[in-house]
């Protein structure tokens, strides 16, 4: 209710601040007898981990996950899985200068206004550091989904430069610093970011996440539609300002005859000749790949001075020092994948509960 | 859990099918001692009501709302408010031909796949008729918000034709058939729709909803962010495929120095020099207008024959007769306003619960 | 959240006041393709219906239930089932004299204090009339449970007179006015109640509900234990002040060696040689009959004058005229059965969701 | 949903097994700007801590609590409070002999049946060790309630020996090993327990928890009644089999004229001349002390051999070695207090949310 949990049957509750001793979450509702050890979770955390290229924050966090409960002899027991990640590289002194100034575009101001108090060190609870927890929960969710469902994400646009969809190669995502499926775009982004970093500025990005193998029937009408839950999940990620399913905003510019994905029988089952719907009709998965895209705004912590006010109500200017991602969108790729996994795992259990099977 | 409720503290539960005896909802969590009669709700239903222009379905529904509980002598009592709207003009025979065929782009197929049964008459539960219930719940939510918060919606793009923002006039929305704030665009849309109707086709649209006067501090980090809940609310509306907050996808194309709304003291309180953020930072309202936009895909029930399959697994073609909106986006405007009201009312009560005031 | 819903996956939301136009509920999460018509629900309502003997209120309510949604051609569709029961015999004038006086032991005072307003006619929302809704929801829950689970209730003590357990005959419950399994006790209760009615007083009762055939494994540790949910369900019934599972309070007077139900293999599966645990261990069903008992306090609306205060803060005396049950415990029997059914149906779906099968 | 969370607005989620590395919980919804450090929590844990007298298990656990998040400079920030307690004295080898045998009366069998796997070491998740987490969460809840609400618990019956209510002295609870308010009863219990321990048997107990200063109006009709939530809270504690409010089962033996607490104006506000209702009418607090009693069954881990079965379906006998409380009811006193605090804190926030003030 206070906003730190996600999901209904598969549900995780997140806690922790950027500069506290640790962050973590409790994942409840994990079915029993799934193989689960730290080794199932760590690779996803490693993908998101900061400090791996010159394009992400230079904060060094090993992000080693510990499972504190919910497994026995390498298997889940049906009881809550508590995950813990220690914070090791918090240079709190870097952040002292923003103790009393609100960064424009940042949650500093709204947290202060809502709660009358805030942990200003590194953004406290509103720090993107919290997304490590989402990635850990997502890794558990993937175990629930099993090997039949594949979830992959990619950065598809940065600084106004989009990938060439004809050049799309999922394998390429693992070869560059951007989770970019198009080697050409990755090269252009590298140049663009190098330029930005010199000016101390930042940029936004668009991420696409695709789930294949999603069973027909997942999702609940009307208010817990699969796409509604995905929209909430993605919009809840730090700095996200927009979400679309399938062809999204583009569908508003089409006619009904252009937009509707026609159907034919194929291999003995109904299938679709297109996927403008992004795999979801009426809030329920139709068997095609589930496709979500979301926009990440530019990092608001930048070196360029911006007009602001102090906590005491004085006009001021603010410059954010410290170590920040020039494009938080890059590390949002594994986060988006994780949230897709969590939403699907939750709906898988919900569907099984109400409809069996 | 099965998807027919929305909200936590202010929570409504919807029920009813297009061709059943009635539709309705139960609104729980309404604070006591608010003035509330049917006359507070009916005007909003009248805005959404079908059959009011040649651009919406010709189904004639008076959509008279009845309050069955939760008020006493014209005031709310704190107990659940049950609202009922009778269905009066259900010509079930119109729909007999789609009993066994799935309309491409429609929820026919997914409901059948999920539940193994569906009420095919007029779309059953997946019909846009259900949105009347949202509008009714939204009218109750407005009473909770009080007169200090203003919620207004407008159609801002149809068939690829966008409104001229310099010509924006909220009053104009009440003068044309499209909730369009720009008389020039309204005229062009009328021509466009007349053309579409002749071919039996349909089109999509983009809606913008703006809430002014939202108190600073509404919204909960991290997973129940105000924008995350708005994204879910809007994406849950029939045929919606995309949602954005403030400048949305556009922010992904900006630099941090361009995007961050700078701050200055004004009238003794912190205020913002821009509103790219759409009134929300870190998931919490910052005092600026809350701005949401969403895309409605074209109606999937069209007269143009489309390839499909039957329930028995045969290839077929389908043509949807019956009375349908050529652009469901038009009537989505009051629905979007209603969902905005519901989300804000819920967060108002949640904020008061956790933070007082 | 505001207290009018029960259950998680199988969830019903109740609404309505004693003297409003109707009462009802929305049952969400009902699995699809269960046979369900009004005829499945009405018999349970008829059991609880007032005015059937001289031992219950003389208010005459036919309590005809209408299904407004969620079924198609006699089967559930997986969408919410809306149930409506009209109020027909509300003689509001009977209650005018308690408009400004609080009945001792009644919710009059607390509703007024909480909400600052109340519908005083017949108890409004706090009237036992609302329990008809529970019975209707319970009838739907029984369809979810299927024929393998049997739920039966009995009155086991009234006015200090307990049934003879050696004389227990379930069939006898249907033959007397008290749902009493012991004909001898029923006769003594009749005498006792006739005496009470002459003095205008009322009495309390103890009800026992037994569910047989409950699958091993239903229930969730730790906070949603099957017995914890049953305790909440029963304590939520009007006038209930105590709940126990199995041997309940008696177990506190036993030693561990006396209390633990020993186990042996029988018919190839583990079974128990006793059932002091009431079919639940660690919050999870163990395959033995689930046994719950609850105490109903005497009706607080009595003809005997009692000291009270007025809404304006004056000392006064109050005498409750109108038509009241001398022992609300009698009609609580079908209500207790219904709540048992609801709790089990909810846990059945939850178990299936998390653990499959 | 999977049963490890309690509360709605004030909500904690518990995790951990008896013999894992740690146990803990996340408390969400804590209002901001409350003073909170480990020193506010530790005294309550110390009360419950094992190994403090010869009447509780000899397991030695320091039960040092660590706050990992949600506070800043000694104050809550409105973000989730993560609490961690390390397990230090787990002698796993003690429990190896019950790996394959089900203890009669214990959750061993039902966990195995539900999940198909269990952490058998020390009862795993079903161990009473988890109640330390409840006590920690309860300490946070007390901060929410503030100093105006006093919560105290006492053991009132053990082995059939009840306290003398005329001798009741709250201060005495702190002077003996039993939280007993009557020095005479405490002496008799000491003798009784010494006898029991020699035979390796165990016994049950009854606990009473009283909250004074609860504001009129807390509680929600109809399904989240304050007493219904208390019943659930107490019944969810390990080994509890019965709960009653106020005079509980005794009210079923009274007439209406005997049972109803009469009212008079006193000090300018309505008050009650008795408190058979235990401070709750219609599910809402009436301003009198809230009184709850619950029964704890005897510890099922005893040295007396009992008939049982093995996991492989063979008849067997089981004797539980290891270190166990002869009467788990003793340490249930601070646990009951904690659950009272949690329920009240949750309803305080809920009431504030819906009704303001």
């Amino acid at each position: 209710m206070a906003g730190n949990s996600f999901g209904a049957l598969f549900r995780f509750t997140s806690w922790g601040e950027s500069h506290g001793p640790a962050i973590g979450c409790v994942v409840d509702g994990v079915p029993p007898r799934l193989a689960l050890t730290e080794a199932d979770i760590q690779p996803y955390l490693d993908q998101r981990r900061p400090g791996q290229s010159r394009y992400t924050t230079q904060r060094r966090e090993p992000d080693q996950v510990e499972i504190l409960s919910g497994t026995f002899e390498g298997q889940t027991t049906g009881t809550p899985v508590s995950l813990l990640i220690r914070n090791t590289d918090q240079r709190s002194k870097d952040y002292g200068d923003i103790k009393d100034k609100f960064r424009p575009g940042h949650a500093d101001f709204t947290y202060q206004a809502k709660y009358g108090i805030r942990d200003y060190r590194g953004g406290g609870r509103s720090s993107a550091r919290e997304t490590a927890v989402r990635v850990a929960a997502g890794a558990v969710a993937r175990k629930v989904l099993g090997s039949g469902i594949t979830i992959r994400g990619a950065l598809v646009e940065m600084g106004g430069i989009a990938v060439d969809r004809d050049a799309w190669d999922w394998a390429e995502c693992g070869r560059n610093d951007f989770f970019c499926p198009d080697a050409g775009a990755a090269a252009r982004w590298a140049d663009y970011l190098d330029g930005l970093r010199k000016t101390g500025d930042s940029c936004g990005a668009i991420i696409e996440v695709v789930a294949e193998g999603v069973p027909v029937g997942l999702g609940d009408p009307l208010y817990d539609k699969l796409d509604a839950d995905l929209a909430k999940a993605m919009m809840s990620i730090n700095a996200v300002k927009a979400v679309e399913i399938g062809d999204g905003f583009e569908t508003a510019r089409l006619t009904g005859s252009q937009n509707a994905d026609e159907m034919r029988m194929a291999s003995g089952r109904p299938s679709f000749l297109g996927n403008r719907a992004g795999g979801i009709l009426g809030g329920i998965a139709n068997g095609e790949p589930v496709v979500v895209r979301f926009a990440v705004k530019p990092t608001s912590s930048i070196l360029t001075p911006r007009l602001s006010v102090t906590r005491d109500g004085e006009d001021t200017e603010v410059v954010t020092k410290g170590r920040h991602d020039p494009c938080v969108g890059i590390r949002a790729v594994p986060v988006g994948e994780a949230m897709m996994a969590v939403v699907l795992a939750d709906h898988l259990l919900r569907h099984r509960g109400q409809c069996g099977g």
Side-chain angles (χ1 to χ4, degrees), chain A residues 191-206:
Chain A
D191 289 346
Y192 174 74
L193 272 185
D194 285 336
L196 264 188
R197 283 171 62 236
K198 280 172 197 151
T199 65
D201 212 337
S202 64
C203 70
I206 298 178

Side-chain angles (χ1 to χ4, degrees), chain A residues 339-355:
Chain A
M339 294 306 289
M340 170 73 90
V342 166
V343 169
L344 292 176
D346 188 29
H347 275 285
L348 186 74
L349 302 189
R350 291 160 78 154
H351 180 69
R352 195 197 280 168
Q354 190 185 3
C355 299

Side-chain angles (χ1 to χ4, degrees), chain A residues 152-158 161-173 179-186 188-189 205-212 244-250 275-276 278 289-295 333:
Chain A
R152 293 183 292 195
L155 204 67
V156 297
E157 187 177 323
M158 184 196 292
I161 307 164
V163 299
D164 175 0
R165 292 200 166 247
D166 292 331
W168 192 293
D169 175 7
W170 280 113
E172 180 59 31
C173 290
F179 304 102
C180 178
D182 164 12
R188 285 189 291 279
W189 294 347
I206 298 178
I207 287 94
E208 183 167 315
V209 180
V210 180
E212 291 173 278
E244 57 186 8
I245 305 293
D247 282 5
F249 275 105
E250 187 57 26
N275 191 22
R276 291 191 186 278
V290 173
V291 180
V292 181
R293 250 181 325 281
F294 58 93
V333 174

